[in-house]
Amino acid sequence: MNKCWAARLALVAGAAALLVLVVFAGLRSVLLVCGGLAGLFVTVAGVWWVLTRRGVIRVLALMLVILAPVAVLVLYVFAGLLWVVLVSSALWALAVSVGRAALAEDTRRMPERPAAPPEHPFLIMNPRSGGGKVERFHLVERARALGAEVVVLDPGHPTDVAGLAGRAVDAGADLLGVAGGDGTQALVAAVAAERDVPFVVVSAGTRNHFAMDLGLDREDPSTCLEALTDGVELRVDLGFLGVAAPRSDVAERVFVNNVSFGAYAAVVQSPAYRDDKARTTLEMLPDLLTRHSGPHLSVHVEGTTIDGPQAVLVSNNPYSMGDPAGLGHRERLDSGVLGVLGITVDNAVQAALMLRGGNGPGLTSLTAREVVIHTDAPDIQAGVDGEALTVPAPVRCRIEPGALRVRLPRDRPGVPRAKPPMDWRRVRRLALTLGRTAGGQKAGRPAPAGRPAGRTP
């Protein structure tokens, strides 16, 4: 759909949503809207209390989370206007969705070039990743049929995958690949970058964030193997985590997705987290979010300081900011900058205000080439691509542009285009813009006599 017409549809749908409320609810429409917003904010506040309290207060907060939306629905039913609210909400959702689509910019694809098939590809596969995707999609057999050497990890015996990849290159491998989680991908990607050999991502992990942001098919990881025979190559950035003051005994750690500090990093460090994630998280979060435990963080981002955040996320290229949490996918992996998200929430009101998204209260979003995190403890806990790690403080995150050569299938789903936050003023300006024909004439204006439309003299 043409962007101008999409903007016009957004305005019409938005106006219709308001019109339905006014015509069928009259002055009560104000109460309906206020009641809905109040219920939403109370629900978010209840979630905050569930995460930061224990015992009876947590139980009461959980009841509040359940009862607040129910109370709003009962209010609408009692007023006999439930259908009005549903129709108006559907029209408003359509308006916002179409409006954001109209505002979305056409982003150019990361530059890629043709690549000849490798002569000695070497793949590492983790049979436990993604609930057994390696076996379910017959990845070992398919890779070997394409001429790849495949090593299947033994889940019962930890393996130095970086060392394994390095020895493979020494033995003549001209391509490295991993079928596994993002943590394993990062370890082998570091070797591929250091040795300057192409790297293949096989989306056999559970979440496959790196594969998603490369535009790969996460539903069928076997399609990733097409990169061995009909592939293209592009260069992407890599993130590096190390100590702020260079030390020869502490090596930098590569991350392909992100590094987290604060609450989440502390939770994943717990030995009980692997066996019972939900209970461990609920047990630890109250002290972490209310600052009764955990270190005091100070994040320095090229002239800006975030003091005392409960959670910090440093990502290899920034995440799109089209959703309230600021997390989704990365449209590009070659922008040459880190994304930085800092969350500082001290009470239920601030938690509710985070629904506004962007750089609202409690949420700071920045980009930088380098980030330094200080703490009042000698060490700092980090979650590196989902893997728990402890490093000496202070730590430094940096980005190395174009460090990794990635080999991808020529045909792949691609990265979904991000939708920006809704901006009604921009939508209105776009809706009032007159489209142009291929020859530069304004839409609806006939070409001058004697000159064919779309032709220039």
Side-chain angles (χ1 to χ4, degrees):
M1 181 186 294
N2 180 280
K3 287 180 177 291
C4 294
W5 283 107
R8 292 162 190 161
L9 176 58
L11 291 180
V12 170
L18 297 176
L19 189 62
V20 167
L21 280 178
V22 173
V23 170
F24 293 98
L27 293 177
R28 290 180 297 173
S29 61
V30 177
L31 296 178
L32 294 178
V33 173
C34 292
L37 292 176
L40 178 61
F41 275 78
V42 169
T43 301
V44 175
V47 171
W48 169 257
W49 289 321
V50 169
L51 296 177
T52 57
R53 299 293 186 268
R54 295 187 179 92
V56 176
I57 296 181
R58 172 175 285 174
V59 174
L60 293 176
L62 182 59
M63 294 176 61
L64 185 64
V65 171
I66 297 172
L67 293 177
V70 173
V72 173
L73 289 177
V74 170
L75 171 65
Y76 294 159
V77 171
F78 182 77
L81 297 172
L82 179 60
W83 72 271
V84 175
V85 174
L86 293 178
V87 171
S88 179
S89 298
L91 288 170
W92 189 258
L94 174 65
V96 172
S97 177
V98 176
R100 291 176 62 190
L103 295 176
E105 301 291 338
D106 292 323
T107 56
R108 64 180 181 88
R109 297 181 63 178
M110 291 183 284
E112 58 187 43
R113 61 182 180 85
E119 296 183 2
H120 303 289
F122 180 84
L123 302 183
I124 298 172
M125 298 192 179
N126 185 349
R128 297 183 62 179
S129 291
K133 287 184 179 179
V134 169
E135 180 179 358
R136 188 161 67 252
F137 289 92
H138 309 288
L139 298 182
V140 175
E141 295 83 356
R142 294 186 180 190
R144 287 173 175 165
L146 296 174
E149 180 183 352
V150 180
V151 172
V152 181
L153 301 178
D154 183 356
H157 296 82
T159 304
D160 178 9
V161 293
L164 184 62
R167 291 190 294 272
V169 176
D170 292 337
D174 59 351
L175 178 144
L176 297 175
V178 173
D182 288 329
T184 307
Q185 299 278 1
L187 293 173
V188 180
V191 178
E194 181 182 2
R195 302 297 190 93
D196 195 31
V197 298
F199 180 67
V200 165
V201 176
V202 182
S203 56
T206 302
R207 297 178 179 85
N208 300 298
H209 289 298
F210 191 43
M212 175 181 69
D213 296 334
L214 287 170
L216 295 170
D217 188 344
R218 296 191 296 167
E219 300 301 322
D220 185 0
S222 66
T223 61
C224 301
L225 297 175
E226 295 174 8
L228 300 179
T229 56
D230 184 24
V232 294
E233 187 172 303
L234 53 81
R235 282 192 173 270
V236 303
D237 308 334
L238 284 180
F240 288 80
L241 169 69
V243 294
R247 286 175 47 179
S248 59
D249 60 328
V250 180
E252 286 186 307
R253 173 71 179 261
V254 165
F255 58 95
V256 295
N257 291 327
N258 56 64
V259 182
S260 59
F261 304 93
Y264 174 74
V267 170
V268 298
Q269 294 278 346
S270 171
Y273 179 74
R274 297 298 176 186
D275 297 328
D276 194 339
K277 293 180 174 61
R279 177 175 294 183
T280 303
T281 302
L282 289 175
E283 180 63 29
M284 296 183 64
L285 277 182
D287 289 338
L288 293 170
L289 295 180
T290 57
R291 296 186 174 88
H292 291 153
S293 68
H296 179 89
L297 300 179
S298 179
V299 184
H300 301 271
V301 188
E302 297 180 358
T304 301
T305 299
I306 308 173
D307 187 55
Q310 288 107 322
V312 177
L313 187 77
V314 180
S315 58
N316 173 25
N317 284 257
Y319 287 98
S320 60
M321 292 297 295
D323 55 272
L327 296 178
H329 64 269
R330 296 162 290 178
E331 287 190 300
R332 306 190 63 86
L333 291 170
D334 63 347
S335 68
V337 293
L338 300 167
V340 184
L341 287 174
I343 299 177
T344 307
V345 182
D346 293 320
N347 52 59
V349 174
Q350 289 183 356
L353 289 175
M354 285 187 66
L355 290 171
R356 295 167 52 185
N359 274 339
L363 181 63
T364 303
S365 175
L366 303 166
T367 59
R369 295 289 299 272
E370 181 176 297
V371 179
V372 178
I373 297 97
H374 292 265
T375 180
D376 54 2
D379 298 320
I380 187 169
Q381 296 173 331
V384 184
D385 286 333
E387 302 291 331
L389 190 69
T390 301
V391 294
V395 299
R396 179 182 69 148
C397 296
R398 65 178 182 88
I399 195 165
E400 188 170 325
L404 181 65
R405 299 166 55 192
V406 179
R407 190 71 57 86
L408 301 172
R410 188 180 305 274
D411 297 321
R412 57 192 187 275
V415 181
R417 188 173 64 178
K419 294 181 180 179
M422 188 59 174
D423 186 333
W424 287 106
R425 291 184 179 179
R426 289 182 58 199
V427 170
R428 179 178 176 275
R429 288 197 299 267
L430 184 59
L432 296 177
T433 301
L434 293 177
R436 295 180 179 274
T437 65
Q441 299 297 327
K442 287 187 177 181
R445 179 181 298 176
R451 186 185 303 166
R455 296 286 300 275
T456 55

